[in-house]
Amino acid sequence: MPLIQISEIPSCELITGYDAQFIHTPAATFSHVRVKAGAALPLHSHIQEQVSYVLEGEFELTVDGVPHQLVNGQVFVIPSNAPHAGLAITDCFILDVFTSVREDYKAKGGIVL
């Protein structure tokens, strides 16, 4: 397995205020996301299960209409096809892990293993 330096992966703007770096394995997509305070993530869903780990900051994640306040060190598992949205309360650094691979994110770049 190769050693990957996150700082060397080019970032892309997913939506306004959300800049991501991707690592794609055969089974998963790892998305390192820097989010600006106040940036909103519109309601959406996808077939992939998503595990969101807040590394820095405070993020409001709404899943199936229920808001959850996430802070440093907290993890939330979003089931496949569950409608969810978000709002960065502060600047945030979030690791999102998707299983299976996000082909739409793979098209945006990153490292493919």
Side-chain angles (χ1 to χ4, degrees), residues 25-41:
T25 71
T29 292
F30 297 79
S31 176
H32 294 83
V33 186
R34 298 262 179 204
V35 187
K36 296 289 184 194
L41 179 67

Side-chain angles (χ1 to χ4, degrees), residues 7-41:
S7 62
E8 295 176 4
I9 299 172
S11 66
C12 72
E13 185 176 66
L14 289 175
I15 60 172
T16 302
Y18 288 74
D19 290 313
Q21 297 161 293
F22 302 114
I23 300 168
H24 309 281
T25 71
T29 292
F30 297 79
S31 176
H32 294 83
V33 186
R34 298 262 179 204
V35 187
K36 296 289 184 194
L41 179 67

Side-chain angles (χ1 to χ4, degrees), residues 89-110:
I89 306 304
T90 66
D91 285 348
C92 296
F93 182 35
I94 299 171
L95 170 62
D96 287 324
V97 179
F98 300 91
T99 55
S100 59
V101 174
R102 288 284 305 252
E103 294 296 335
D104 54 336
Y105 285 1
K106 192 187 266 189
K108 294 179 180 290

Side-chain angles (χ1 to χ4, degrees), residues 16-75:
T16 302
Y18 288 74
D19 290 313
Q21 297 161 293
F22 302 114
I23 300 168
H24 309 281
T25 71
T29 292
F30 297 79
S31 176
H32 294 83
V33 186
R34 298 262 179 204
V35 187
K36 296 289 184 194
L41 179 67
L43 185 65
H44 68 286
S45 65
H46 40 75
I47 62 168
Q48 295 84 1
E49 177 181 72
Q50 178 178 342
V51 178
S52 291
Y53 177 14
V54 177
L55 300 168
E56 297 174 8
E58 183 178 351
F59 191 82
E60 181 179 274
L61 178 65
T62 301
V63 180
D64 286 327
V66 179
H68 305 274
Q69 299 295 318
L70 304 178
V71 296
N72 299 8
Q74 292 185 314
V75 175

